[in-house]
Amino acid sequence: MTRKAQELDRCDCQVIHEDIVNQVLPQMPPEETLYDLAELFKVFGDSTRVKILWALDKEEMCVCDIAYLLNMTQSAISHQLRVLKQAKLVKNRREGKIVYYSLDDEHVRQIFEMGLCHIMEE
Amino acid sequence: MTRKAQELDRCDCQVIHEDIVNQVLPQMPPEETLYDLAELFKVFGDSTRVKILWALDKEEMCVCDIAYLLNMTQSAISHQLRVLKQAKLVKNRREGKIVYYSLDDEHVRQIFEMGLCHIMEE
DNA sequence: TGATCATATGAGCAATCTTTCATATTTAAG
DNA sequence: CTTAAATATGAAAGATTGCTCATATGATCA
C-alpha cells in the first residue's frame, strides 16, 4: 500500500517535525500487528463479554449458567461466546448436552487488572 | 434494576449448577465497574487509536505529525484524540498554534504488552 | 485588521455491532 | 423413533462508530 498523497496533511509543522516523525515511522510495528491488537481489545470492549470473561475467570460454566448469571438470553450469550472463542479467549468442552466454557488465556486477568488500574486512578 | 424474569433461562442445568452460580454472583464487581472497564477497552479497540497511542508512546507529537505518520486526515486524527483524551489516555499542551499530545497513563504500554502476549501465542 | 496556519467540532453517511426472534443442530431419555 | 433439553446460528432491527466534509475556533504574523 502506498501513501495516498505526499502532500496531504503535509503542513508546515510537519516539515519542522520531520525528523521526529521520520524517527518514529520505522519503529512502528507492522500494520497487521496493530490491527490484530485493536481487534483483540475490541473483544474486551463490550460489557457483556467483560462480564462473561470475569465470570469464567472464577468458574467454568455452561451457557445457561452464564445467561442466568447475567440475566440475558441464551442466544445473546451464545453469540458472544462465539466471539470470545474466535478470539481464543475461551475454550469449551462438551459433556452430553451441556457445553462448558472456561478461559483459554492466562493473560485475561492481567489485562483486566491493567484496565482497572487506569479506571481507579481518578 | 430487577431481574427481568425469574424463570427466563432458568433451565434444568442452572438448577443443577445453582451453587456454582450462587458462589460467583456475589463476587461479581459492581455493574458500573465492568461497564467502565469495557468502555476503556473499547477505546483500545480501534486500530487508528492503537496506532496513535503507539506513536505517542515513542514521542510527543502534534496533530498533523500524527496525521502524516498514519496517512490520515487531520480531522480524523483530531476526532480520535478527543476520544483518547476523554478516556484520560492522552494529554495535550498548547504551544502557540500547535497542540502537542502525549500519553497520560503509564499503563498503556503494559496493556499493549499484555495484548501482544496473547496475539503472539499461536 | 486581515490572512493564514493548526486544531476542533457538528452533521451526515456507511459500516459495524449487539441483541432478538425464529429455527437448526446435537445429545440424551423415554 | 419421538420428544425434549442445551446450544448454535441466520436474518434483521436498532444502536453505535469512524470517517468525511464543511466550518468554526484559536493563535500568529504581516
Side-chain angles (χ1 to χ4, degrees):
Chain A
M1 197 194 297
T2 56
R3 291 198 160 256
K4 198 163 53 184
Q6 213 75 16
E7 47 279 298
L8 178 67
D9 298 308
R10 187 84 185 242
C11 51
D12 292 356
C13 89
Q14 204 287 311
V15 176
I16 298 167
H17 302 146
E18 202 163 25
D19 46 346
I20 292 176
V21 173
N22 288 338
Q23 198 183 352
V24 172
L25 197 50
Q27 292 185 60
M28 292 289 278
E31 174 82 18
E32 196 196 349
T33 302
L34 296 177
Y35 179 81
D36 290 347
L37 201 53
E39 286 301 301
L40 173 66
F41 287 125
K42 200 175 286 178
V43 177
F44 283 91
D46 173 77
S47 61
T48 298
R49 288 191 293 265
V50 164
K51 288 176 197 168
I52 293 174
L53 289 172
W54 195 285
L56 293 182
D57 182 46
K58 301 288 171 236
E59 279 287 337
E60 179 189 61
M61 288 172 118
C62 75
V63 180
C64 70
D65 286 341
I66 302 169
Y68 177 73
L69 187 67
L70 306 190
N71 194 34
M72 292 181 67
T73 66
Q74 171 270 321
S75 180
I77 300 299
S78 198
H79 277 295
Q80 298 296 12
L81 283 169
R82 190 159 171 272
V83 175
L84 291 169
K85 200 185 172 190
Q86 281 174 339
K88 300 188 179 174
L89 293 172
V90 306
K91 59 177 185 282
N92 58 8
R93 67 182 177 86
R94 182 176 271 276
E95 200 171 285
K97 289 177 295 190
I98 301 175
V99 178
Y100 290 95
Y101 280 84
S102 56
L103 287 194
D104 193 22
D105 191 298
E106 68 280 7
H107 299 115
V108 171
R109 201 178 311 174
Q110 290 176 286
I111 291 174
F112 274 172
E113 278 166 15
M114 286 292 112
L116 282 175
C117 281
H118 178 79
I119 290 172
M120 297 313 177
E121 287 174 346
E122 295 300 82
Chain B
M1 199 194 298
T2 57
R3 291 197 161 259
K4 197 163 51 182
Q6 214 74 17
E7 46 279 297
L8 179 68
D9 296 310
R10 187 83 185 244
C11 52
D12 293 357
C13 87
Q14 203 288 310
V15 176
I16 299 166
H17 303 146
E18 201 162 27
D19 46 345
I20 293 175
V21 174
N22 288 338
Q23 200 184 351
V24 172
L25 197 49
Q27 291 185 60
M28 292 289 278
E31 174 82 18
E32 197 197 348
T33 302
L34 295 177
Y35 178 82
D36 290 346
L37 202 52
E39 287 301 302
L40 174 65
F41 287 125
K42 200 174 286 179
V43 176
F44 283 91
D46 174 77
S47 61
T48 299
R49 288 191 294 265
V50 164
K51 288 176 196 167
I52 293 174
L53 289 171
W54 196 286
L56 293 182
D57 182 46
K58 301 287 171 236
E59 279 288 336
E60 179 189 59
M61 288 171 118
C62 75
V63 180
C64 70
D65 286 342
I66 302 170
Y68 177 72
L69 188 66
L70 306 190
N71 194 35
M72 293 180 65
T73 66
Q74 171 270 322
S75 179
I77 300 299
S78 199
H79 277 295
Q80 297 297 11
L81 284 169
R82 192 161 171 270
V83 174
L84 290 169
K85 200 185 173 191
Q86 280 174 340
K88 300 186 180 176
L89 292 172
V90 305
K91 59 177 185 282
N92 57 8
R93 68 182 176 87
R94 182 177 272 276
E95 200 170 285
K97 289 178 293 188
I98 302 175
V99 178
Y100 290 95
Y101 281 83
S102 57
L103 288 194
D104 193 21
D105 191 299
E106 68 278 8
H107 299 115
V108 171
R109 201 178 312 173
Q110 290 177 286
I111 291 175
F112 274 173
E113 277 167 14
M114 287 290 112
L116 282 174
C117 282
H118 178 81
I119 290 171
M120 297 312 175
E121 287 173 347
E122 296 299 80

